[in-house]
Every structure is written in C-alpha cells, then in structure tokens.
Amino acid sequence: MTTTPNELADELDVSAKAIRAFLREEYLEHEHGARWELDDDQSSVVRARFSD
C-alpha cells in the first residue's frame, strides 16, 4: 500500500509542502517532478520526523 504526502499531512496536521521538502532532502534519488507514493517504510520515516 502507498501513501501520499497529502494523506500524511492530514494525519499529522502539518503542511504537505513541509513533508515534500523533507522528502526531497531525505530521498535524493526521487525523480524531480514525479508523484510521491510512499511505501510503509518511507511513511514511517515521515511520521517519525513530524510526530510530536
């Protein structure tokens, strides 16, 4: 199953823009302009970064 930055933003109450900025720094190999579809491991990294 995949998750998008927008779904995580809603879940974590942060902006999708902030999540995408973090993802660009964390996953340099991601193709510029390509859609973000995060696997469970990537989603866990985002949750850990933006959790209170």
Side-chain angles (χ1 to χ4, degrees):
M1 185 171 138
T2 61
T3 306
T4 66
N6 287 343
E7 291 169 333
L8 287 171
D10 288 342
E11 174 186 328
L12 300 169
D13 197 30
V14 297
S15 73
K17 184 176 180 179
I19 291 176
R20 289 190 307 272
F22 169 74
L23 289 169
R24 284 191 295 273
E25 292 175 7
E26 191 72 18
Y27 300 101
L28 299 175
E29 72 280 359
H30 184 76
E31 181 182 340
H32 180 75
R35 179 176 171 86
W36 285 100
E37 293 186 355
L38 309 176
D39 62 27
D40 291 339
D41 291 335
Q42 292 169 319
S43 296
S44 293
V45 170
V46 172
R47 286 183 182 101
R49 165 60 180 85
F50 290 96
S51 297
D52 289 336

PDB file of all heavy atoms in Angstrom, residues 8-34:
ATOM      1  N   LEU A   8      -0.495  12.026   4.544  1.00  0.00           N
ATOM      2  CA  LEU A   8       0.286  12.162   5.772  1.00  0.00           C
ATOM      3  C   LEU A   8       0.112  13.543   6.396  1.00  0.00           C
ATOM      4  O   LEU A   8       0.070  13.677   7.617  1.00  0.00           O
ATOM      5  CB  LEU A   8       1.763  11.891   5.491  1.00  0.00           C
ATOM      6  CG  LEU A   8       2.123  10.437   5.249  1.00  0.00           C
ATOM      7  CD1 LEU A   8       3.563  10.310   4.775  1.00  0.00           C
ATOM      8  CD2 LEU A   8       1.899   9.600   6.489  1.00  0.00           C
ATOM      9  N   ALA A   9       0.010  14.557   5.562  1.00  0.00           N
ATOM     10  CA  ALA A   9      -0.190  15.920   6.076  1.00  0.00           C
ATOM     11  C   ALA A   9      -1.482  16.013   6.870  1.00  0.00           C
ATOM     12  O   ALA A   9      -1.520  16.606   7.952  1.00  0.00           O
ATOM     13  CB  ALA A   9      -0.192  16.919   4.920  1.00  0.00           C
ATOM     14  N   ASP A  10      -2.533  15.421   6.347  1.00  0.00           N
ATOM     15  CA  ASP A  10      -3.812  15.405   7.065  1.00  0.00           C
ATOM     16  C   ASP A  10      -3.690  14.645   8.384  1.00  0.00           C
ATOM     17  O   ASP A  10      -4.185  15.085   9.415  1.00  0.00           O
ATOM     18  CB  ASP A  10      -4.911  14.765   6.211  1.00  0.00           C
ATOM     19  CG  ASP A  10      -5.343  15.643   5.049  1.00  0.00           C
ATOM     20  OD1 ASP A  10      -5.059  16.860   5.070  1.00  0.00           O
ATOM     21  OD2 ASP A  10      -5.964  15.103   4.117  1.00  0.00           O
ATOM     22  N   GLU A  11      -3.022  13.515   8.336  1.00  0.00           N
ATOM     23  CA  GLU A  11      -2.860  12.676   9.522  1.00  0.00           C
ATOM     24  C   GLU A  11      -2.021  13.363  10.606  1.00  0.00           C
ATOM     25  O   GLU A  11      -2.342  13.287  11.796  1.00  0.00           O
ATOM     26  CB  GLU A  11      -2.172  11.367   9.115  1.00  0.00           C
ATOM     27  CG  GLU A  11      -1.814  10.453  10.248  1.00  0.00           C
ATOM     28  CD  GLU A  11      -1.008   9.251   9.787  1.00  0.00           C
ATOM     29  OE1 GLU A  11      -1.207   8.774   8.642  1.00  0.00           O
ATOM     30  OE2 GLU A  11      -0.162   8.793  10.570  1.00  0.00           O
ATOM     31  N   LEU A  12      -0.966  14.054  10.184  1.00  0.00           N
ATOM     32  CA  LEU A  12      -0.007  14.631  11.125  1.00  0.00           C
ATOM     33  C   LEU A  12      -0.254  16.106  11.426  1.00  0.00           C
ATOM     34  O   LEU A  12       0.456  16.697  12.234  1.00  0.00           O
ATOM     35  CB  LEU A  12       1.414  14.456  10.570  1.00  0.00           C
ATOM     36  CG  LEU A  12       1.847  13.008  10.345  1.00  0.00           C
ATOM     37  CD1 LEU A  12       3.147  12.956   9.557  1.00  0.00           C
ATOM     38  CD2 LEU A  12       1.975  12.281  11.670  1.00  0.00           C
ATOM     39  N   ASP A  13      -1.224  16.694  10.752  1.00  0.00           N
ATOM     40  CA  ASP A  13      -1.561  18.112  10.928  1.00  0.00           C
ATOM     41  C   ASP A  13      -0.366  19.023  10.641  1.00  0.00           C
ATOM     42  O   ASP A  13      -0.036  19.910  11.426  1.00  0.00           O
ATOM     43  CB  ASP A  13      -2.128  18.365  12.328  1.00  0.00           C
ATOM     44  CG  ASP A  13      -2.869  19.694  12.414  1.00  0.00           C
ATOM     45  OD1 ASP A  13      -3.431  20.123  11.396  1.00  0.00           O
ATOM     46  OD2 ASP A  13      -2.849  20.307  13.499  1.00  0.00           O
ATOM     47  N   VAL A  14       0.306  18.745   9.527  1.00  0.00           N
ATOM     48  CA  VAL A  14       1.374  19.599   9.015  1.00  0.00           C
ATOM     49  C   VAL A  14       1.092  19.828   7.531  1.00  0.00           C
ATOM     50  O   VAL A  14       0.256  19.147   6.937  1.00  0.00           O
ATOM     51  CB  VAL A  14       2.773  18.974   9.204  1.00  0.00           C
ATOM     52  CG1 VAL A  14       3.097  18.787  10.669  1.00  0.00           C
ATOM     53  CG2 VAL A  14       2.903  17.668   8.462  1.00  0.00           C
ATOM     54  N   SER A  15       1.806  20.769   6.929  1.00  0.00           N
ATOM     55  CA  SER A  15       1.546  21.042   5.518  1.00  0.00           C
ATOM     56  C   SER A  15       2.193  19.975   4.631  1.00  0.00           C
ATOM     57  O   SER A  15       3.270  19.445   4.939  1.00  0.00           O
ATOM     58  CB  SER A  15       2.072  22.420   5.133  1.00  0.00           C
ATOM     59  OG  SER A  15       3.479  22.417   5.053  1.00  0.00           O
ATOM     60  N   ALA A  16       1.533  19.683   3.547  1.00  0.00           N
ATOM     61  CA  ALA A  16       2.076  18.744   2.573  1.00  0.00           C
ATOM     62  C   ALA A  16       3.370  19.304   1.983  1.00  0.00           C
ATOM     63  O   ALA A  16       4.293  18.556   1.658  1.00  0.00           O
ATOM     64  CB  ALA A  16       1.057  18.458   1.481  1.00  0.00           C
ATOM     65  N   LYS A  17       3.449  20.617   1.869  1.00  0.00           N
ATOM     66  CA  LYS A  17       4.653  21.266   1.355  1.00  0.00           C
ATOM     67  C   LYS A  17       5.858  20.956   2.247  1.00  0.00           C
ATOM     68  O   LYS A  17       6.952  20.669   1.760  1.00  0.00           O
ATOM     69  CB  LYS A  17       4.426  22.770   1.265  1.00  0.00           C
ATOM     70  CG  LYS A  17       5.559  23.533   0.654  1.00  0.00           C
ATOM     71  CD  LYS A  17       5.211  25.000   0.515  1.00  0.00           C
ATOM     72  CE  LYS A  17       6.361  25.770  -0.103  1.00  0.00           C
ATOM     73  NZ  LYS A  17       6.032  27.184  -0.276  1.00  0.00           N
ATOM     74  N   ALA A  18       5.675  20.995   3.566  1.00  0.00           N
ATOM     75  CA  ALA A  18       6.763  20.689   4.501  1.00  0.00           C
ATOM     76  C   ALA A  18       7.183  19.229   4.371  1.00  0.00           C
ATOM     77  O   ALA A  18       8.378  18.910   4.417  1.00  0.00           O
ATOM     78  CB  ALA A  18       6.338  20.992   5.929  1.00  0.00           C
ATOM     79  N   ILE A  19       6.218  18.356   4.197  1.00  0.00           N
ATOM     80  CA  ILE A  19       6.532  16.935   4.042  1.00  0.00           C
ATOM     81  C   ILE A  19       7.298  16.698   2.747  1.00  0.00           C
ATOM     82  O   ILE A  19       8.315  15.997   2.729  1.00  0.00           O
ATOM     83  CB  ILE A  19       5.258  16.069   4.108  1.00  0.00           C
ATOM     84  CG1 ILE A  19       4.705  16.102   5.525  1.00  0.00           C
ATOM     85  CG2 ILE A  19       5.537  14.635   3.651  1.00  0.00           C
ATOM     86  CD1 ILE A  19       3.396  15.379   5.717  1.00  0.00           C
ATOM     87  N   ARG A  20       6.859  17.306   1.655  1.00  0.00           N
ATOM     88  CA  ARG A  20       7.566  17.139   0.383  1.00  0.00           C
ATOM     89  C   ARG A  20       8.986  17.700   0.456  1.00  0.00           C
ATOM     90  O   ARG A  20       9.923  17.103  -0.084  1.00  0.00           O
ATOM     91  CB  ARG A  20       6.776  17.767  -0.763  1.00  0.00           C
ATOM     92  CG  ARG A  20       5.519  16.988  -1.122  1.00  0.00           C
ATOM     93  CD  ARG A  20       4.890  17.480  -2.416  1.00  0.00           C
ATOM     94  NE  ARG A  20       4.644  18.912  -2.422  1.00  0.00           N
ATOM     95  CZ  ARG A  20       3.536  19.495  -1.966  1.00  0.00           C
ATOM     96  NH1 ARG A  20       2.558  18.757  -1.461  1.00  0.00           N
ATOM     97  NH2 ARG A  20       3.386  20.807  -2.023  1.00  0.00           N
ATOM     98  N   ALA A  21       9.167  18.822   1.133  1.00  0.00           N
ATOM     99  CA  ALA A  21      10.516  19.394   1.292  1.00  0.00           C
ATOM    100  C   ALA A  21      11.412  18.413   2.041  1.00  0.00           C
ATOM    101  O   ALA A  21      12.575  18.192   1.663  1.00  0.00           O
ATOM    102  CB  ALA A  21      10.440  20.730   2.016  1.00  0.00           C
ATOM    103  N   PHE A  22      10.888  17.828   3.109  1.00  0.00           N
ATOM    104  CA  PHE A  22      11.645  16.821   3.864  1.00  0.00           C
ATOM    105  C   PHE A  22      11.977  15.628   2.975  1.00  0.00           C
ATOM    106  O   PHE A  22      13.109  15.136   2.971  1.00  0.00           O
ATOM    107  CB  PHE A  22      10.849  16.375   5.093  1.00  0.00           C
ATOM    108  CG  PHE A  22      11.432  15.175   5.771  1.00  0.00           C
ATOM    109  CD1 PHE A  22      12.591  15.277   6.528  1.00  0.00           C
ATOM    110  CD2 PHE A  22      10.824  13.935   5.649  1.00  0.00           C
ATOM    111  CE1 PHE A  22      13.140  14.155   7.145  1.00  0.00           C
ATOM    112  CE2 PHE A  22      11.365  12.818   6.264  1.00  0.00           C
ATOM    113  CZ  PHE A  22      12.526  12.930   7.014  1.00  0.00           C
ATOM    114  N   LEU A  23      11.005  15.162   2.213  1.00  0.00           N
ATOM    115  CA  LEU A  23      11.216  14.004   1.343  1.00  0.00           C
ATOM    116  C   LEU A  23      12.296  14.285   0.301  1.00  0.00           C
ATOM    117  O   LEU A  23      13.125  13.415   0.011  1.00  0.00           O
ATOM    118  CB  LEU A  23       9.912  13.610   0.648  1.00  0.00           C
ATOM    119  CG  LEU A  23       8.850  12.988   1.547  1.00  0.00           C
ATOM    120  CD1 LEU A  23       7.528  12.900   0.804  1.00  0.00           C
ATOM    121  CD2 LEU A  23       9.286  11.633   2.064  1.00  0.00           C
ATOM    122  N   ARG A  24      12.310  15.487  -0.258  1.00  0.00           N
ATOM    123  CA  ARG A  24      13.331  15.831  -1.254  1.00  0.00           C
ATOM    124  C   ARG A  24      14.727  15.782  -0.644  1.00  0.00           C
ATOM    125  O   ARG A  24      15.683  15.386  -1.318  1.00  0.00           O
ATOM    126  CB  ARG A  24      13.053  17.208  -1.857  1.00  0.00           C
ATOM    127  CG  ARG A  24      11.927  17.211  -2.871  1.00  0.00           C
ATOM    128  CD  ARG A  24      11.850  18.518  -3.634  1.00  0.00           C
ATOM    129  NE  ARG A  24      11.519  19.653  -2.782  1.00  0.00           N
ATOM    130  CZ  ARG A  24      10.286  20.041  -2.468  1.00  0.00           C
ATOM    131  NH1 ARG A  24       9.252  19.374  -2.959  1.00  0.00           N
ATOM    132  NH2 ARG A  24      10.082  21.085  -1.707  1.00  0.00           N
ATOM    133  N   GLU A  25      14.855  16.181   0.616  1.00  0.00           N
ATOM    134  CA  GLU A  25      16.156  16.123   1.293  1.00  0.00           C
ATOM    135  C   GLU A  25      16.542  14.684   1.656  1.00  0.00           C
ATOM    136  O   GLU A  25      17.705  14.318   1.593  1.00  0.00           O
ATOM    137  CB  GLU A  25      16.120  16.961   2.571  1.00  0.00           C
ATOM    138  CG  GLU A  25      15.996  18.438   2.331  1.00  0.00           C
ATOM    139  CD  GLU A  25      15.843  19.235   3.619  1.00  0.00           C
ATOM    140  OE1 GLU A  25      15.961  18.647   4.715  1.00  0.00           O
ATOM    141  OE2 GLU A  25      15.601  20.444   3.525  1.00  0.00           O
ATOM    142  N   GLU A  26      15.560  13.912   2.032  1.00  0.00           N
ATOM    143  CA  GLU A  26      15.796  12.540   2.510  1.00  0.00           C
ATOM    144  C   GLU A  26      16.005  11.545   1.367  1.00  0.00           C
ATOM    145  O   GLU A  26      16.786  10.602   1.499  1.00  0.00           O
ATOM    146  CB  GLU A  26      14.603  12.100   3.372  1.00  0.00           C
ATOM    147  CG  GLU A  26      14.799  10.848   4.138  1.00  0.00           C
ATOM    148  CD  GLU A  26      15.758  10.988   5.319  1.00  0.00           C
ATOM    149  OE1 GLU A  26      16.036  12.121   5.766  1.00  0.00           O
ATOM    150  OE2 GLU A  26      16.230   9.945   5.780  1.00  0.00           O
ATOM    151  N   TYR A  27      15.312  11.731   0.260  1.00  0.00           N
ATOM    152  CA  TYR A  27      15.342  10.777  -0.852  1.00  0.00           C
ATOM    153  C   TYR A  27      15.804  11.483  -2.116  1.00  0.00           C
ATOM    154  O   TYR A  27      15.011  11.805  -3.007  1.00  0.00           O
ATOM    155  CB  TYR A  27      13.963  10.141  -1.052  1.00  0.00           C
ATOM    156  CG  TYR A  27      13.501   9.384   0.173  1.00  0.00           C
ATOM    157  CD1 TYR A  27      12.585   9.929   1.061  1.00  0.00           C
ATOM    158  CD2 TYR A  27      14.023   8.128   0.462  1.00  0.00           C
ATOM    159  CE1 TYR A  27      12.184   9.247   2.200  1.00  0.00           C
ATOM    160  CE2 TYR A  27      13.629   7.430   1.598  1.00  0.00           C
ATOM    161  CZ  TYR A  27      12.711   7.997   2.457  1.00  0.00           C
ATOM    162  OH  TYR A  27      12.329   7.317   3.580  1.00  0.00           O
ATOM    163  N   LEU A  28      17.111  11.707  -2.207  1.00  0.00           N
ATOM    164  CA  LEU A  28      17.686  12.470  -3.311  1.00  0.00           C
ATOM    165  C   LEU A  28      17.509  11.791  -4.662  1.00  0.00           C
ATOM    166  O   LEU A  28      17.537  12.454  -5.702  1.00  0.00           O
ATOM    167  CB  LEU A  28      19.177  12.714  -3.047  1.00  0.00           C
ATOM    168  CG  LEU A  28      19.503  13.506  -1.792  1.00  0.00           C
ATOM    169  CD1 LEU A  28      21.008  13.566  -1.583  1.00  0.00           C
ATOM    170  CD2 LEU A  28      18.901  14.896  -1.858  1.00  0.00           C
ATOM    171  N   GLU A  29      17.313  10.471  -4.660  1.00  0.00           N
ATOM    172  CA  GLU A  29      17.189   9.734  -5.919  1.00  0.00           C
ATOM    173  C   GLU A  29      15.806   9.875  -6.568  1.00  0.00           C
ATOM    174  O   GLU A  29      15.607   9.462  -7.702  1.00  0.00           O
ATOM    175  CB  GLU A  29      17.509   8.245  -5.700  1.00  0.00           C
ATOM    176  CG  GLU A  29      16.456   7.466  -4.924  1.00  0.00           C
ATOM    177  CD  GLU A  29      16.524   7.641  -3.403  1.00  0.00           C
ATOM    178  OE1 GLU A  29      17.395   8.353  -2.900  1.00  0.00           O
ATOM    179  OE2 GLU A  29      15.670   7.056  -2.726  1.00  0.00           O
ATOM    180  N   HIS A  30      14.853  10.481  -5.843  1.00  0.00           N
ATOM    181  CA  HIS A  30      13.499  10.632  -6.385  1.00  0.00           C
ATOM    182  C   HIS A  30      13.527  11.573  -7.592  1.00  0.00           C
ATOM    183  O   HIS A  30      14.129  12.641  -7.544  1.00  0.00           O
ATOM    184  CB  HIS A  30      12.563  11.192  -5.306  1.00  0.00           C
ATOM    185  CG  HIS A  30      11.138  11.283  -5.737  1.00  0.00           C
ATOM    186  ND1 HIS A  30      10.330  10.175  -5.824  1.00  0.00           N
ATOM    187  CD2 HIS A  30      10.385  12.333  -6.127  1.00  0.00           C
ATOM    188  CE1 HIS A  30       9.131  10.546  -6.233  1.00  0.00           C
ATOM    189  NE2 HIS A  30       9.153  11.853  -6.428  1.00  0.00           N
ATOM    190  N   GLU A  31      12.871  11.165  -8.656  1.00  0.00           N
ATOM    191  CA  GLU A  31      12.852  11.954  -9.884  1.00  0.00           C
ATOM    192  C   GLU A  31      12.126  13.282  -9.668  1.00  0.00           C
ATOM    193  O   GLU A  31      11.002  13.307  -9.163  1.00  0.00           O
ATOM    194  CB  GLU A  31      12.158  11.159 -10.988  1.00  0.00           C
ATOM    195  CG  GLU A  31      12.113  11.877 -12.311  1.00  0.00           C
ATOM    196  CD  GLU A  31      11.377  11.093 -13.375  1.00  0.00           C
ATOM    197  OE1 GLU A  31      11.226   9.871 -13.224  1.00  0.00           O
ATOM    198  OE2 GLU A  31      10.946  11.714 -14.353  1.00  0.00           O
ATOM    199  N   HIS A  32      12.776  14.374 -10.046  1.00  0.00           N
ATOM    200  CA  HIS A  32      12.187  15.696  -9.888  1.00  0.00           C
ATOM    201  C   HIS A  32      10.856  15.782 -10.646  1.00  0.00           C
ATOM    202  O   HIS A  32      10.770  15.407 -11.808  1.00  0.00           O
ATOM    203  CB  HIS A  32      13.140  16.772 -10.412  1.00  0.00           C
ATOM    204  CG  HIS A  32      12.607  18.152 -10.293  1.00  0.00           C
ATOM    205  ND1 HIS A  32      12.549  18.805  -9.083  1.00  0.00           N
ATOM    206  CD2 HIS A  32      12.071  18.982 -11.203  1.00  0.00           C
ATOM    207  CE1 HIS A  32      12.016  20.002  -9.273  1.00  0.00           C
ATOM    208  NE2 HIS A  32      11.722  20.128 -10.548  1.00  0.00           N
ATOM    209  N   GLY A  33       9.830  16.244  -9.969  1.00  0.00           N
ATOM    210  CA  GLY A  33       8.515  16.419 -10.581  1.00  0.00           C
ATOM    211  C   GLY A  33       7.646  15.175 -10.575  1.00  0.00           C
ATOM    212  O   GLY A  33       6.476  15.244 -10.950  1.00  0.00           O
ATOM    213  N   ALA A  34       8.213  14.045 -10.174  1.00  0.00           N
ATOM    214  CA  ALA A  34       7.438  12.801 -10.143  1.00  0.00           C
ATOM    215  C   ALA A  34       6.540  12.773  -8.906  1.00  0.00           C
ATOM    216  O   ALA A  34       6.843  13.383  -7.885  1.00  0.00           O
ATOM    217  CB  ALA A  34       8.371  11.591 -10.128  1.00  0.00           C
TER     218      ALA A  34
END
